[in-house]
C-alpha cells in the first residue's frame, strides 16, 4: 500500500539556521499539507498546497516558512531562520482527487522531529 | 476561524467496556469530521470519519455520531481492547481545501 514518506526522521539544528523538511506524497494525490505538533500538544495546520500554489495557510505560517514542489514527487517545507519554538514534529499529508471527485481522507507521513537548540 | 474542543483529555476504562470521546466545533460551515488514532511516536491514522450529511456511521466496534444543530460529534468504541490504548484526535474541516482543525486529543487507557 502506498504511503507518504518524510525525510529526515529527526533534524537537529541551531537557532537561526535554515532547515528543509522533505516529503514524498502518494503519487496520484493532488492536495498536500503540512501540520506540526509540539510535544504533548494538538496537531496544528500550517499550510495547504494545490495546483502548484498555496491554497490556504494559518497564522503560524509566517514569512519564515515557505513550501515548494520542486519536481513531480517532492514537497518541501523550508524554515528560513529557526527559533526555539519551532521545535516540533512536522507532519506532511496528502489527499486524492480523481475525475473531479475529492476524497476527504488525508494520509499522513511518519513525521520529522525538528529540534532547535 | 474554526475551533475544535475535545473532552476528556484522559479517559481510563476497563477492558471490554465502552469509551466515548466528545468534540464540539464552532464553525457551522464545517462539513467533514475525521477521527485519528495516534500511537506513541507514530503518525496519526484515520480510524473513522463522517460528513455533515450523515448523522451516524459505524465500522465494527467504532462509531461516530454527529449533531449538526448542537455542533458536536462523538467517537464511540465498544468492547475496548488493550490495543485501543492511544491518543485519539477529532478534527473538523470547513472548506474545499479540507485542511483539518484538530482537537487537543484524548489519551485512552484500557485497564486489563
Amino acid at each position: 500500500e502506498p504511503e507518504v514518506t518524510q525525510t529526515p526522521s529527526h533534524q537537529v539544528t541551531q537557532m537561526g539556521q535554515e532547515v528543509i523538511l522533505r516529503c514524498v506524497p502518494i503519487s496520484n494525490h493532488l492536495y498536500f499539507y503540512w501540520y506540526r505538533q509540539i510535544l504533548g500538544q494538538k496537531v496544528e495546520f500550517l499550510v495547504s498546497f494545490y495546483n502548484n500554489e498555496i491554497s490556504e495557510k494559518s497564522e503560524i505560517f509566517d514569512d519564515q516558512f515557505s513550501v515548494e514542489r520542486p519536481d513531480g514527487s517532492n514537497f518541501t517545507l523550508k524554515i528560513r531562520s529557526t527559533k526555539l519554538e519551532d521545535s516540533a514534529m512536522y507532519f506532511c499529508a496528502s489527499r486524492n482527487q480523481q475525475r473531479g471527485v475529492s476524497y476527504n481522507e488525508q494520509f499522513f507521513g511518519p513525521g520529522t522531529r525538528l529540534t532547535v537548540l | 476561524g474554526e475551533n475544535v474542543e475535545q473532552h476528556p483529555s484522559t479517559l481510563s476504562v476497563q477492558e471490554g467496556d465502552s469509551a466515548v470521546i466528545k468534540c464540539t466545533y464552532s464553525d457551522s460551515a464545517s462539513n467533514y469530521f475525521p477521527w485519528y488514532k495516534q500511537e506513541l511516536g507514530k503518525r496519526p491514522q484515520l480510524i473513522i470519519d463522517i460528513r455533515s450529511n450523515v448523522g451516524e456511521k459505524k465500522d465494527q466496534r467504532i462509531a461516530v455520531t454527529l449533531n449538526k444543530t448542537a455542533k458536536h460529534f462523538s467517537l464511540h468504541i465498544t468492547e475496548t481492547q488493550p490495543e485501543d490504548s492511544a491518543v485519539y484526535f477529532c478534527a473538523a474541516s470547513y472548506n474545499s481545501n479540507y485542511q483539518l482543525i484538530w482537537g487537543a486529543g484524548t489519551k485512552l487507557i484500557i485497564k486489563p
Side-chain angles (χ1 to χ4, degrees):
Chain A
E1 188 174 332
E3 286 190 330
V4 178
T5 59
Q6 289 184 245
T7 54
S9 57
H10 192 186
Q11 173 96 45
V12 181
T13 190
Q14 295 290 326
M15 190 169 55
Q17 294 296 305
E18 174 182 287
V19 294
I20 297 176
L21 311 183
R22 292 183 167 80
C23 168
V24 179
I26 295 172
S27 63
N28 62 343
H29 286 191
L30 298 178
Y31 296 83
F32 314 115
Y33 307 83
W34 283 102
Y35 295 87
R36 78 173 185 189
Q37 185 178 30
I38 296 170
L39 188 63
Q41 297 186 22
K42 69 166 69 177
V43 179
E44 300 174 290
F45 166 71
L46 294 178
V47 65
S48 59
F49 192 87
Y50 171 70
N51 201 24
N52 287 319
E53 62 182 18
I54 291 173
S55 47
E56 192 137 356
K57 58 184 180 180
S58 72
E59 293 175 351
I60 303 168
F61 195 88
D62 60 23
D63 291 344
Q64 71 160 340
F65 290 92
S66 62
V67 289
E68 196 177 34
R69 188 156 164 81
D71 52 43
S73 59
N74 289 282
F75 179 50
T76 62
L77 174 69
K78 182 192 289 187
I79 309 175
R80 288 189 184 82
S81 179
T82 50
K83 304 171 189 170
L84 295 176
E85 54 264 38
D86 293 328
S87 294
M89 180 74 91
Y90 287 80
F91 289 106
C92 171
S94 69
R95 182 168 70 86
N96 196 6
Q97 179 175 4
Q98 290 180 347
R99 296 178 186 174
V101 177
S102 283
Y103 294 84
N104 298 123
E105 181 179 358
Q106 293 182 29
F107 293 81
F108 282 77
T112 293
R113 179 161 298 286
L114 176 64
T115 302
V116 182
L117 302 176
Chain B
E2 174 65 284
N3 184 48
V4 177
E5 299 287 338
Q6 182 172 347
H7 299 280
S9 56
T10 305
L11 178 60
S12 184
V13 301
Q14 205 69 38
E15 183 179 349
D17 288 352
S18 296
V20 180
I21 302 171
K22 298 182 179 182
C23 287
T24 60
Y25 61 98
S26 60
D27 193 332
S28 56
S30 290
N31 56 13
Y32 173 64
F33 307 92
W35 285 88
Y36 282 85
K37 176 182 180 182
Q38 187 179 34
E39 297 175 359
L40 191 62
K42 301 277 185 71
R43 74 187 81 190
Q45 298 267 18
L46 180 74
I47 55 170
I48 196 166
D49 57 7
I50 192 168
R51 299 194 70 163
S52 57
N53 57 349
V54 176
E56 185 173 356
K57 184 176 176 181
K58 191 172 180 181
D59 182 5
Q60 298 183 355
R61 296 187 297 109
I62 295 172
V64 56
T65 57
L66 171 65
N67 183 327
K68 285 195 317 183
T69 304
K71 290 191 281 188
H72 66 69
F73 56 113
S74 301
L75 177 71
H76 304 252
I77 305 175
T78 58
E79 300 172 14
T80 52
Q81 300 169 3
E83 54 265 35
D84 294 331
S85 293
V87 178
Y88 291 79
F89 290 96
C90 64
S93 164
Y94 59 92
N95 63 23
S96 59
N97 283 319
Y98 288 105
Q99 69 262 26
L100 299 176
I101 306 303
W102 297 68
T106 295
K107 183 176 183 180
L108 178 62
I109 300 166
I110 307 300
K111 297 181 290 186

